[in-house]
Amino acid sequence: MKGKLKRIFGIALVVLAVFAFTGCQKVDNAPKEAEGEKTVADDGVKAKFDTISEGDEYHIGIITGTVSQGEDEFRAAQAAIEKYGSADEGGVIRHDTYPDKFDAEQETTISKIVAMADDPLMKAVIVNQSVPGTSAAFKQIRDKRPDIILVNLVAQEDTIMVEDASDLVIDADNVSRGYRIIAAAKEMGATKFAHITFPRHMSIELLALRRAIMEEACNELGLEFISLNAPDPITDIGVPGAQQYIAENIQPWIDKYGKDTAFFCTNDAHTEPLLRGVAAGGAIFVEQDLPSPIMGYPKAFSVDIKDLAGDWQAINKKVEEAVVDAGGGGRMGTWAYSLGYSVTLGALDHVIDVIHGNGELLDNDAVIKSIENYTEGAHWMATNYVDRATGEAKQNHILVSQDTYVYGKGYLGMDKVDVPEKYLNLNVDLEQIKADQEQAEGKAE
């Protein structure tokens, strides 16, 4: 009996030893995060990606509009291919465009973005401008390829949805610009400010918020705010019809409201005829919705810049000469460097640094530094978007802006203008703004 007990006791000791040993083995050999892999716990970035070593092959996808809907972003993608090479030819960049009528062809837009994830070497996808369907596409990519960094530039969808679907969101600081554009208009001699848009744009939170801030800033700074409606270029009327509407109406608007009215439109396609009409009528134009020397100006003033691609200082100088010759000196402005072009290439370089292990994705200073590499002499500002409901600063949503450049005068110094606190936290009824614009559209028809 004693011998049997001894054997049982011995077996028990062996079993306990085995469990202790395997338990230790489980701790020692628990799955470890791959070297260089980023997780949500690291810095808030959703993508779980591995950093790469110099010489490793990788691809980055860039989706833009066509030349007719977003020339600056398209040209930036071409410049990226020139710098880093095409993925189809052993380089880094894979570029595609979404349809001009993207709102009516969302499935095509989504499929083109998602197709980027079929490339096994894809490390990041950048979309500029991020039209409706981008967030849905990003979610599909996240499900199939959680290792891909998703970058959303100039979003046209619900802010919360965009932030949730993306690792990094960069947009024009339409909060601060809502105030600074009005301050600039006043500095340029405006007594009235005319805001031209349509209901679809007023369903975009940041654009509607900017409009509300502009109206409030007009009240505070002593300008009359005027709300105008124009056709949406992605509807059946198309870009030609929308442009014709602006061309036919800008002079009657100037006649009605006066030459000291600053005109502003929210749509790129409207910009060219608006600029031409403002110059001809002697009115004021502060800057575009997405500011750039090539946004509307070259075609409006017949400026040939085909041999100056990427040389923004030369482009701006040539445009400036044409604007001043046309009588727009001191009355018409822009940003000296394109938002769409600079932010696309800046975001690209920033992402490349990050996937090589050189920095963090959600570093505002690093983002600005990458953008400034393409914008010598221009001062950029960056802040994080603040959620209107919670007051929370969104770390993955960065808003950027640049000082206004007035042709015939130079930089206006808007980067030195402090925006009152109330505008940074202004709560507005966005649904009411959209409804008001729809009512204005009905009256225009």
Side-chain angles (χ1 to χ4, degrees):
M1 183 69 178
K2 287 183 179 180
K4 186 175 181 181
L5 287 174
K6 283 182 179 180
R7 285 195 299 274
I8 293 172
F9 183 69
I11 292 170
L13 286 176
V14 170
V15 170
L16 286 172
V18 169
F19 271 108
F21 178 74
T22 55
C24 289
Q25 287 293 94
K26 283 184 178 180
V27 172
D28 290 342
N29 295 324
K32 291 184 174 64
E33 184 181 290
E35 186 176 352
E37 184 178 285
K38 298 289 183 181
T39 68
V40 174
D42 286 331
D43 52 15
V45 178
K46 302 176 185 68
K48 297 182 178 181
F49 63 94
D50 292 329
T51 55
I52 62 176
S53 301
E54 200 65 38
D56 287 351
E57 190 177 358
Y58 67 96
H59 294 158
I60 293 179
I62 301 178
I63 308 286
T64 70
T66 65
V67 172
S68 66
Q69 278 284 15
E71 180 175 354
D72 291 32
E73 298 87 4
F74 183 90
R75 300 302 180 200
Q78 289 185 318
I81 292 173
E82 184 176 342
K83 182 175 181 178
Y84 292 106
S86 169
D88 293 331
E89 299 175 1
V92 172
I93 307 300
R94 190 174 298 285
H95 176 227
D96 202 354
T97 60
Y98 48 72
D100 283 349
K101 293 187 176 182
F102 47 80
D103 208 43
E105 300 179 48
Q106 280 196 38
E107 289 305 317
T108 301
T109 299
I110 292 170
S111 66
K112 286 192 167 210
I113 298 172
V114 173
M116 290 290 180
D118 294 335
D119 181 347
L121 294 177
M122 192 62 61
K123 297 291 291 184
V125 174
I126 300 170
V127 182
N128 192 10
Q129 302 168 35
S130 295
V131 297
T134 301
S135 293
F138 276 9
K139 288 182 178 180
Q140 290 186 35
I141 291 177
R142 185 81 72 199
D143 289 341
K144 63 191 291 189
R145 291 286 303 279
D147 60 308
I148 292 178
I149 298 172
L150 302 173
V151 180
N152 186 309
L153 306 179
V154 190
Q156 296 187 19
E157 298 179 292
D158 175 75
T159 302
I160 295 175
M161 180 170 67
V162 168
E163 292 166 349
D164 181 61
S166 312
D167 293 297
L168 175 63
V169 184
I170 304 175
D171 206 341
D173 187 355
N174 286 318
V175 177
S176 297
R177 287 180 73 215
Y179 181 84
R180 289 194 176 111
I181 288 174
I182 303 304
K186 184 175 182 178
E187 181 74 15
M188 294 166 69
T191 58
K192 299 176 183 178
F193 185 85
H195 183 275
I196 307 166
T197 190
F198 40 80
R200 179 175 63 83
H201 269 190
M202 290 301 94
S203 67
I204 300 171
E205 181 177 345
L206 276 175
L207 299 191
L209 178 60
R210 182 183 62 193
R211 181 203 177 280
I213 292 172
M214 284 175 163
E215 185 170 8
E216 182 65 25
C218 281
N219 293 334
E220 180 175 322
L221 297 177
L223 282 72
E224 179 185 345
F225 183 85
I226 301 161
S227 180
L228 298 173
N229 202 81
D232 187 340
I234 71 168
T235 58
D236 291 341
I237 195 170
V239 169
Q243 291 181 328
Q244 183 64 28
Y245 180 89
I246 297 293
E248 291 175 352
N249 282 276
I250 181 58
Q251 189 57 52
W253 286 336
I254 295 173
D255 292 341
K256 180 177 181 179
Y257 300 114
K259 292 184 178 182
D260 288 337
T261 302
F263 289 88
F264 177 86
C265 64
T266 66
N267 183 260
D268 294 348
H270 289 159
T271 304
E272 179 195 330
L274 183 63
L275 289 170
R276 189 182 296 113
V278 165
I284 296 171
F285 184 91
V286 178
E287 63 190 41
Q288 304 95 325
D289 174 66
L290 300 177
S292 162
I294 68 172
M295 178 59 72
Y297 275 112
K299 290 183 179 179
F301 293 91
S302 301
V303 181
D304 184 3
I305 59 170
K306 64 177 179 294
D307 296 328
L308 301 176
D311 188 345
W312 291 101
Q313 292 183 345
I315 290 171
N316 203 41
K317 182 179 179 181
K318 197 165 185 179
V319 170
E320 183 166 27
E321 292 171 353
V323 172
V324 172
D325 288 345
R331 308 273 287 180
M332 303 186 76
T334 185
W335 286 1
Y337 296 89
S338 160
L339 171 71
Y341 187 95
S342 305
V343 170
T344 301
L345 290 175
L348 171 64
D349 284 0
H350 178 60
V351 166
I352 288 175
D353 284 342
V354 169
I355 64 177
H356 278 93
N358 301 321
E360 300 297 330
L361 189 66
L362 307 184
D363 182 341
N364 289 16
D365 291 339
V367 169
I368 290 299
K369 184 178 179 181
S370 293
I371 294 173
E372 287 180 338
N373 287 333
Y374 297 93
T375 59
E376 182 182 356
H379 178 63
W380 288 81
M381 299 156 280
T383 187
N384 291 101
Y385 176 75
V386 176
D387 185 276
R388 285 309 187 266
T390 65
E392 177 189 1
K394 297 296 185 177
Q395 297 306 307
N396 74 330
H397 194 165
I398 301 174
L399 303 179
V400 300
S401 57
Q402 185 187 146
D403 188 11
T404 302
Y405 186 92
V406 179
Y407 289 125
K409 185 172 183 177
Y411 286 109
L412 202 56
M414 286 299 107
D415 56 308
K416 299 178 180 64
V417 172
D418 291 328
V419 179
E421 187 69 24
K422 72 173 185 177
Y423 293 100
L424 302 178
N425 298 290
L426 187 68
N427 280 309
V428 297
D429 188 342
L430 301 179
E431 288 299 322
Q432 186 60 50
I433 290 174
K434 182 183 177 184
D436 290 345
Q437 204 65 46
E438 288 174 341
Q439 185 177 14
E441 183 181 47
K443 289 180 180 179
E445 292 173 352

